[in-house]
Amino acid sequence: MGCVASRAKPELDEKRALLAQYASEVSARPKPVDTTERLAKLRDLMRACGVDAYVIGTEDAHGSEYAAPCDQRLPFITGFTGSTALAIVCLDAAHFFTDGRYHVQASAQLDDNWTLHKVGEPGVQPWTSWITHLPRGTHVGMDATLLPHTLAKQLRTSLQAQHITLAFPEANLVDEVWGVERPAPTLTPIYEHALEYAGVDAASKIRTLRAWLADQYGDAAYVISALDEVAWLLNVRGASIPCNPVFPAYVIVTADDVALFVDERLLTHPVRLYLAGMGVSLHAYERIMTWLRDTPLSTILVDERASHALVRAAGESRVIVQTATSPVALAKACKNDVEQACLRRAYLRDGAAWAKWAAWLEEAMRRGANITEREAAEELARLRAADPLYAGMQAYDAISAAGPNAALPHYETPVTHSRVLDREAPYLNDSGPQYHDGTIDTTRTVHFGRPTAEQKRAYTRVLQGHIALALARFPAGTTGAQLDMVARQPLYQDGYNYMHGTGHGVGSFLAVHEGPHGFSSSSGGASVPVPLQEGMALSNEPGFYEVGHFGIRIESVMLVRRATTHREFQGPWLEFETLTRVPISTRLVDKRLLSPKEAQWLRAYNQQCRDELLPLVRGDRRAAKWLRQSF
């Protein structure tokens, strides 16, 4: 009995220490924002304009994933800081809808004024269905500039069937509540995206679009509201939107004009000259509605992100919505030879920064240092920022997650009081900067101690899914939605799964989440799954998340390229080239589960990373040693 007690006491002490740490973290978290006064003011405005329910989302007028501070209305009215959610404020209640990625975060950040709808759980309806059960005669208010037209049409049909009316107050009611405290727009100047990175000049892109427009529709106007498409078409970049090198603007292309609607304060003299050289006419940002109302053209094409306000201004009868067949979206998605070369260089340099960071972190953990999630993330960001082509922003908010925090796929690493990295559970880092020659998105999961058998098994199954997709060959015409199952199959063998897409498109110094392609049922958010084409860049990121315990994800970015096969039967055939150059940890691998082919792929990939990165870390002995000894 004495021996048993002596073994159990350290384990008990360890559990007590972990519980104490967890309690400390919980007590240190900021308390939810008190939204009582804000909701009261909003309801007064709702009554004044005859609205019974008011819908608030996360989007800006361009359907952007990330909104500028002045457009972050949902965080202001709710206190929730995640990227995907929606609120419906009624006169007597307030409802909040979000999916499984944010159930835990929403529970912590919402105050008692809100009813949380955990979409995805049994019996919980998405907001688009829930809203149809409001009382007959209800007037539902929305800002038409923030509502995608495609969604507006669906809502109008479903609500009318229930005798519920959509209403569009002239002013945004949340902005009225926000008042003078609402942040001012970010006015960082626009700049030209050099041809050495863009690969094709903007004049050529415009000519191609005009030729397509004339061939398909004759004398028509093509309206671009998606900010990454505006930036791509004109070969310009900005910094008005967090994590995205873009700026608020619209472009309208016709047979004889390219009109840019933008805040003139964003335009420097060199950019004005550059745009004038291509024949681009400049207009005030807010004049877009007037142009659409006044144009005599009978056909106006808009992209899928166009707002209901845009379509109403143009007149629904003459508007055609471009879906997955949008020539701008597809051309942007298929990287040209220069963009592909730039992405390869960017991921190689970023791999060197990661190696320096990982070597530092491994050494610090061996010494017994207490490194927090935030400290780890900031050190990696510092090393990346030293790159001469660093564009001054991260591609997304880094996910630096230890222990049970890694089980939250979209965990937000706290600025203060973040968790200390431990030696009992995996540590996950999902991060990437914006370089002028490429957008980075990388995830690796590591362990600083002795993994449990379950941790190793789960990690190995995720790795096998990652390898299976990296090795996939498929005929032209195959969609990412069809390939999603390739990565899941190894996990399914043991009853593992993950509740997110296997991957998304990645931009060329643009949006880290780029449509219309992707490895998911929605294929990058497109209404119809899009066939993969040569030059498309996508992430490969299967995972597994044991809520309350640990999370695992392995993510690399790949390019679609032409494959050479034995028969070429009904070709062409396609495959993937992995761009990411960050070694995959083997400490968590259960080698007994790997097939010879999988083991060979892992050895070859890590050897390739080692061979290509060693010359780039010359002078950093710690990083060189890490590359030689860690894999």
Side-chain angles (χ1 to χ4, degrees):
M1 290 293 293
C3 292
V4 172
S6 65
R7 287 196 303 268
K9 189 176 186 306
E11 294 176 3
L12 184 60
D13 290 343
E14 184 178 1
K15 288 180 180 179
R16 287 172 175 165
L18 288 172
L19 286 171
Q21 178 181 353
Y22 178 75
S24 174
E25 291 168 358
V26 170
S27 63
R29 291 172 185 165
K31 294 182 178 179
V33 173
D34 184 353
T35 62
T36 304
E37 184 177 350
R38 297 173 187 180
L39 288 173
K41 290 180 179 178
L42 177 58
R43 288 177 175 130
D44 287 342
L45 292 170
M46 290 165 58
R47 293 185 186 95
C49 60
V51 168
D52 304 300
Y54 195 70
V55 179
I56 307 138
T58 57
E59 297 84 359
D60 62 10
H62 304 269
S64 305
E65 177 184 8
Y66 292 94
C70 60
D71 291 322
Q72 293 178 11
R73 298 174 178 89
L74 188 79
F76 167 75
I77 205 70
T78 67
F80 174 78
T81 59
S83 63
T84 304
L86 183 131
I88 301 177
V89 177
C90 301
L91 294 176
D92 58 355
H95 300 269
F96 189 92
F97 299 78
T98 192
D99 61 33
R101 296 171 296 174
Y102 293 110
H103 289 171
V104 174
Q105 181 178 337
S107 297
Q109 290 187 321
L110 297 175
D111 70 5
D112 292 339
N113 288 305
W114 295 91
T115 297
L116 174 59
H117 297 251
K118 297 181 178 180
V119 179
E121 291 191 351
V124 179
Q125 295 178 312
W127 75 271
T128 49
S129 299
W130 180 91
I131 202 170
T132 63
H133 298 289
L134 289 172
R136 294 163 70 98
T138 295
H139 285 71
V140 176
M142 302 185 77
D143 185 337
T145 66
L146 307 179
L147 174 65
H149 175 66
T150 51
L151 177 57
K153 287 180 62 178
Q154 298 170 15
L155 282 175
R156 186 169 57 196
T157 300
S158 60
L159 292 178
Q160 283 178 349
Q162 303 301 321
H163 302 280
I164 298 171
T165 303
L166 268 182
F168 301 105
E170 291 187 10
N172 185 289
L173 302 189
V174 175
D175 291 350
E176 295 289 302
V177 175
W178 215 341
V180 295
E181 294 182 4
R182 184 185 177 202
T186 304
L187 298 174
T188 307
I190 300 166
Y191 57 94
E192 182 181 353
H193 184 49
L195 190 59
E196 64 181 296
Y197 309 130
V200 175
D201 62 272
S204 296
K205 295 178 181 179
I206 292 168
R207 283 196 299 270
T208 300
L209 178 57
R210 275 187 171 142
W212 177 89
L213 191 61
D215 180 65
Q216 298 290 320
Y217 296 97
D219 195 13
Y222 194 104
V223 182
I224 303 174
S225 58
L227 300 186
D228 56 342
E229 294 184 17
V230 169
W232 176 86
L233 182 70
L234 299 179
N235 282 351
V236 286
R237 299 292 189 268
S240 298
I241 308 295
C243 301
N244 284 249
V246 297
F247 51 94
Y250 299 95
V251 165
I252 299 179
V253 177
T254 64
D256 54 10
D257 188 24
V258 178
L260 174 63
F261 298 81
V262 66
D263 189 326
E264 65 175 9
R265 293 173 294 180
L266 297 174
L267 300 172
T268 62
H269 183 64
V271 166
R272 289 177 184 270
L273 291 177
Y274 164 70
L275 294 171
M278 294 186 295
V280 176
S281 62
L282 300 177
H283 308 264
Y285 176 81
E286 61 273 9
R287 294 288 294 173
I288 180 73
M289 301 298 179
T290 302
W291 192 102
L292 290 171
R293 280 193 294 265
D294 295 346
T295 181
L297 295 172
S298 60
T299 303
I300 299 174
L301 288 83
V302 300
D303 58 48
E304 278 193 291
R305 284 186 253 179
S307 71
H308 189 50
L310 277 184
V311 175
R312 290 173 74 198
E316 289 191 49
S317 62
R318 57 176 176 169
V319 168
I320 299 174
V321 179
Q322 293 295 293
T323 55
T325 58
S326 163
V328 178
L330 284 176
K332 174 172 58 65
C334 298
K335 311 300 183 282
N336 59 54
D337 290 344
V338 170
E339 290 174 319
Q340 291 181 37
C342 284
L343 282 169
R344 292 186 186 98
R345 290 195 294 269
Y347 274 90
L348 182 60
R349 296 195 318 276
D350 193 70
W354 190 292
K356 294 175 182 178
W357 168 78
W360 162 80
L361 187 57
E362 285 270 7
E363 182 181 89
M365 294 299 289
R366 280 198 303 270
R367 293 199 319 266
N370 290 322
I371 306 294
T372 67
E373 297 166 328
R374 174 58 61 176
E375 288 169 339
E378 289 179 347
E379 177 62 15
L380 180 52
R382 184 189 69 80
L383 288 165
R384 284 166 158 164
D387 190 297
L389 294 183
Y390 177 64
M393 65 176 71
Q394 299 300 306
Y396 53 102
D397 296 329
I399 300 172
S400 177
N405 292 337
L408 306 175
H410 284 241
Y411 172 65
E412 290 188 2
T413 307
V415 175
T416 60
H417 301 100
S418 63
R419 187 181 181 90
V420 174
L421 275 57
D422 62 54
R423 293 155 185 82
E424 306 303 319
Y427 166 65
L428 183 154
N429 187 290
D430 181 344
S431 59
Q434 291 280 13
Y435 297 123
H436 288 291
D437 56 349
T439 298
I440 306 297
D441 188 358
T442 302
T443 308
R444 292 293 184 264
T445 305
V446 298
H447 202 293
F448 300 111
R450 298 183 65 180
T452 66
E454 178 63 14
Q455 290 168 357
K456 293 181 71 172
R457 192 175 191 92
Y459 180 90
T460 306
R461 293 308 190 199
V462 171
L463 173 61
Q464 288 174 307
H466 184 89
I467 294 172
L469 189 56
L471 288 173
R473 281 187 173 178
F474 48 95
T478 301
T479 70
Q482 292 171 297
L483 293 176
D484 178 79
M485 185 59 69
V486 172
R488 295 182 191 270
Q489 193 58 37
L491 288 90
Y492 283 2
Q493 302 306 309
D494 279 349
Y496 296 115
N497 197 9
Y498 48 96
M499 305 309 291
H500 58 73
T502 298
H504 52 82
V506 178
S508 182
F509 185 39
L510 278 172
V512 71
H513 298 129
E514 177 181 84
H517 55 301
F519 297 120
S520 68
S521 57
S522 63
S523 188
S527 55
V528 178
V530 176
L532 299 182
Q533 300 180 33
E534 291 182 63
M536 286 182 169
L538 304 97
S539 67
N540 171 6
E541 49 179 313
F544 176 71
Y545 312 95
E546 183 75 41
V547 176
H549 296 279
F550 66 91
I552 289 162
R553 188 163 61 253
I554 301 172
E555 177 186 21
S556 298
V557 168
M558 310 184 299
L559 270 177
V560 181
R561 68 184 180 189
R562 184 74 174 267
T564 301
T565 60
H566 172 63
R567 285 289 302 277
E568 292 293 308
F569 181 71
Q570 295 182 341
W573 289 72
L574 302 172
E575 64 183 5
F576 298 113
E577 170 193 351
T578 297
L579 299 178
T580 305
R581 290 293 181 267
V582 175
I584 295 173
S585 176
T586 57
R587 184 176 296 172
L588 275 155
V589 175
D590 185 341
K591 296 180 174 61
R592 298 170 299 176
L593 298 178
L594 293 183
S595 70
K597 186 176 182 180
E598 291 166 340
Q600 193 279 331
W601 183 95
L602 181 59
R603 286 192 300 271
Y605 175 76
N606 281 343
Q607 186 63 53
Q608 182 181 25
C609 292
R610 183 182 298 116
D611 293 345
E612 295 183 12
L613 293 177
L614 278 171
L616 275 66
V617 300
R618 189 175 293 117
D620 188 325
R621 294 183 178 178
R622 182 170 57 194
K625 181 180 178 181
W626 180 81
L627 284 168
R628 290 191 179 101
Q629 296 183 357
S630 296
F631 306 97

